């Protein structure tokens, strides 16, 4: 029990205080607060959380993020809520993206037509790169 810390006062002095929901409950000797030990679960690498949030802000849908990063779209939705990320309203366009290796990315930038009249973001995606492209000025 010495490794347990009270979530309220950070004290390491606790006594067992029953079982609730199948989990051991503790009472802090210092402040009297009752708490349970957090359920051990699988934690996602922060790298993927940041990438998912970046993609969301750029207008990529939850399902597309799921396919690209291999994390659940529900997890992405939960991260968006948790961190209060708001994507700008985009009704006139939808960004396009490409997954390229380093050589393909270099070839893409050698063609001047690929970089004119559009905004782009390049982000690392494992051993490849993701190029997100959207038109800067849309003609009606």
């Amino acid at each position: 029990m010495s490794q347990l810390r009270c979530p309220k006062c950070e004290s390491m002095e606790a006594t067992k205080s029953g079982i609730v929901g199948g989990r051991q409950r503790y009472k802090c000797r210092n402040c009297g607060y009752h708490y349970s030990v957090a359920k051990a679960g699988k934690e996602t690498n922060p790298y993927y959380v940041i990438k998912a949030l970046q993609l969301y802000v750029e207008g990529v849908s939850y399902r597309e993020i799921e396919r690209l990063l291999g994390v659940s779209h529900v997890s992405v939705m939960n991260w968006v809520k948790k961190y209060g990320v708001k994507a700008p309203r985009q009704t006139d366009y939808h960004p396009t993206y490409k997954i390229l290796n380093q050589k393909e990315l270099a070839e893409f930038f050698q063609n001047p037509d690929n970089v004119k009249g559009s905004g782009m973001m390049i982000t690392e995606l494992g051993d490849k790169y993701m190029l997100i492209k959207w038109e800067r000025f849309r003609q009606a």
Side-chain angles (χ1 to χ4, degrees), residues 43-92:
E43 189 171 320
T44 305
N45 186 329
Y47 171 84
Y48 291 103
V49 176
I50 292 167
K51 289 294 177 193
L53 294 175
Q54 285 174 340
L55 293 171
Y56 175 75
V57 167
E58 293 303 324
V60 180
S61 73
Y62 293 132
R63 297 274 182 175
E64 288 174 300
I65 295 170
E66 177 179 43
R67 285 188 284 276
L68 291 167
L69 299 180
V71 296
S72 166
H73 67 279
V74 176
S75 293
V76 177
M77 283 190 287
N78 290 335
W79 297 331
V80 167
K81 288 178 191 174
K82 179 179 180 180
Y83 296 107
V85 174
K86 297 201 186 308
R89 286 277 167 224
Q90 304 175 15
T91 56
D92 296 340

Side-chain angles (χ1 to χ4, degrees), residues 5-20:
R5 288 190 179 271
C6 173
K8 192 171 183 181
C9 72
E10 298 290 320
S11 171
M12 294 179 67
E13 299 293 322
T15 58
K16 289 184 177 182
S17 182
I19 295 177
V20 176

Side-chain angles (χ1 to χ4, degrees), residues 107-118 120 133:
E107 290 170 1
F108 180 86
F109 280 112
Q110 288 177 349
N111 183 349
D113 293 333
N114 288 337
V115 294
K116 287 184 181 172
S118 64
M120 283 184 250
K133 183 177 180 180

